[in-house]
């Protein structure tokens, strides 16, 4: 069985450069998860490393398939400085552990909630999982393994998360686009939802 994590880290480095910090978190009953920090101009990116070590499995399956199933890592991009966004490391690790802990399959259009601000003073407690492929290309693995997808996370305010549950992810993304919302602003207000 191939160890996918060195390949995943190499893909992150080729797309985002050298990480300038990394933190490791282990939760009871899960594999070790790391969060790498990359600076690129006026943007800081946080990427998980470890979520893709095991495929995500259908929560209704009796046994988890150790080979086949979707694999992913999470990427969050924000502007540094205005907030202590480095405190997002633990919440990101919690989100990355959710497939192992809660048996969820993280996919584009999903909402993930940590139940507390993503960092101190953040107006966001949840994220919308966006489509992969823009920032970091999928990492193809040898058959029968699914490729690793690098899923961008878009922070949502509680009002946006509630609106998304009713109207859907596409409608919320269109609302952000129509209003010129800066999704990298760590202290932005909720988009108008009326």
């Amino acid at each position: 069985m191939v160890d996918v994590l060195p390949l995943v880290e190499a893909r992150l480095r080729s797309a985002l450069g050298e990480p300038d910090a990394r933190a490791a978190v282990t939760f009871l009953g899960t594999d070790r998860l790391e969060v790498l920090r990359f600076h690129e101009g006026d943007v800081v990116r946080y990427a998980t490393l470890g979520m893709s070590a095991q495929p995500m499995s259908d929560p209704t399956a009796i046994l988890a398939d150790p080979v086949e199933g979707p694999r992913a890592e999470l990427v969050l991009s924000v502007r540094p400085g205005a907030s202590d966004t480095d405190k997002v490391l633990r919440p990101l690790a919690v989100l990355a552990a959710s497939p192992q802990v809660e048996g969820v399959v993280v996919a584009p259009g999903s909402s993930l909630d940590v139940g507390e601000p993503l960092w101190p003073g953040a107006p966001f407690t949840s994220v919308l999982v966006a489509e992969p492929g823009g920032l970091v290309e999928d990492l193809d693995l040898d058959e029968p393994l699914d490729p690793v997808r690098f899923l961008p996370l878009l922070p949502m305010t509680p009002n946006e998360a509630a609106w998304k549950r009713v109207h859907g992810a596409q409608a919320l993304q269109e609302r952000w686009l129509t209003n010129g919302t800066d999704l990298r602003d760590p202290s932005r207000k909720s988009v108008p939802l009326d």
Side-chain angles (χ1 to χ4, degrees):
M1 194 59 148
V2 65
D3 182 3
V4 303
L5 296 185
L7 302 173
V8 169
E9 184 168 355
R11 175 57 54 94
L12 286 168
R13 287 173 184 264
S14 69
L16 305 176
E18 287 298 310
D20 65 357
R22 65 193 309 145
V25 180
T26 305
F27 301 103
L28 186 63
T30 68
D31 296 329
R32 171 187 161 115
L33 293 162
E34 290 188 89
V35 179
L36 283 58
R37 184 181 68 191
F38 302 87
H39 273 95
E40 181 183 328
D42 68 341
V43 175
V44 62
R45 303 187 198 283
Y46 301 94
T48 63
L49 179 63
M51 182 176 167
S52 62
Q54 304 294 326
M56 294 180 275
S57 58
D58 182 344
T60 62
I62 304 285
L63 291 172
D65 189 321
V67 177
E68 293 188 36
R71 294 173 187 261
E73 296 291 351
L74 308 175
V75 181
L76 174 70
S77 300
V78 293
R79 266 187 197 64
S83 301
D84 189 5
T85 56
D86 279 349
K87 301 283 191 212
V88 77
L89 300 177
R90 185 166 179 78
L92 263 183
V94 167
L95 296 177
S98 61
Q100 287 183 52
V101 174
E102 299 172 24
V104 299
V105 175
V106 177
S110 303
S111 298
L112 302 173
D113 196 318
V114 293
E116 61 185 31
L118 292 176
W119 52 82
F124 320 106
T125 59
S126 61
V127 293
L128 174 64
V129 180
E131 290 291 334
L135 186 61
V136 184
E137 288 183 30
D138 292 354
L139 172 65
D140 291 324
L141 302 173
D142 293 337
E143 291 289 338
L145 303 180
D146 284 22
V148 176
R149 303 172 86 197
F150 297 88
L151 302 171
L153 301 180
L154 308 175
M156 293 188 293
T157 66
N159 285 346
E160 290 170 338
W163 196 86
K164 181 254 176 196
R165 280 192 293 279
V166 173
H167 300 280
Q170 185 64 36
L172 178 59
Q173 289 179 303
E174 287 171 10
R175 184 64 58 114
W176 283 334
L177 191 59
T178 301
N179 286 276
T181 305
D182 180 3
L183 297 173
R184 294 178 180 167
D185 180 351
S187 55
R188 73 172 179 84
K189 303 289 184 236
S190 183
V191 70
L193 298 170
D194 43 336

